[in-house]
Amino acid sequence: MADCIFCRIIEGTIPSRKVYEDEYILAFEDIDPAAPVHVLVVPKKHIESLEAVNPENVEYVVKAHFAIQQVAKAKKINAGGYRVIVNTG
């Protein structure tokens, strides 16, 4: 979607500091972090919100949780615990 900032980051028209990427997910540093480690993890398929998750795109949600695990390891915060926030809307 042309008006979605996350889609534009995924396609590379808006630069980002990538932390993790695979065929399903992109994780990147927040430009205005609210915590010492603040990484956004987004699916590469546009899903409007959690309310739009369905059998055809649910694998992206599962892949996002795996990516969160990989980001935590890369940022060396996996052993001590970390907080995951999901925004809807």
Side-chain angles (χ1 to χ4, degrees), residues 38 40 48-50 85-89:
H38 188 166
L40 300 173
E48 188 68 31
S49 77
L50 283 177
I85 299 172
V86 177
N87 293 322
T88 302

Side-chain angles (χ1 to χ4, degrees), residues 19-65:
V19 176
Y20 174 87
E21 184 174 19
D22 65 22
E23 64 184 288
Y24 297 93
I25 302 295
L26 177 65
F28 53 93
E29 301 279 350
D30 191 286
I31 60 169
D32 187 21
V37 176
H38 188 166
V39 177
L40 300 173
V41 178
V42 297
K44 287 187 172 179
K45 177 177 184 159
H46 182 86
I47 302 172
E48 188 68 31
S49 77
L50 283 177
E51 294 298 313
V53 174
N54 59 46
E56 289 77 40
N57 62 25
V58 72
E59 73 179 309
Y60 285 84
V61 176
V62 174
K63 299 288 187 180
H65 283 271

Side-chain angles (χ1 to χ4, degrees), residues 2-20:
D3 60 335
C4 174
I5 190 167
F6 299 119
C7 291
R8 292 173 38 211
I9 290 168
I10 290 164
E11 67 188 20
T13 57
I14 295 176
S16 67
R17 294 186 315 254
K18 294 179 186 177
V19 176
Y20 174 87

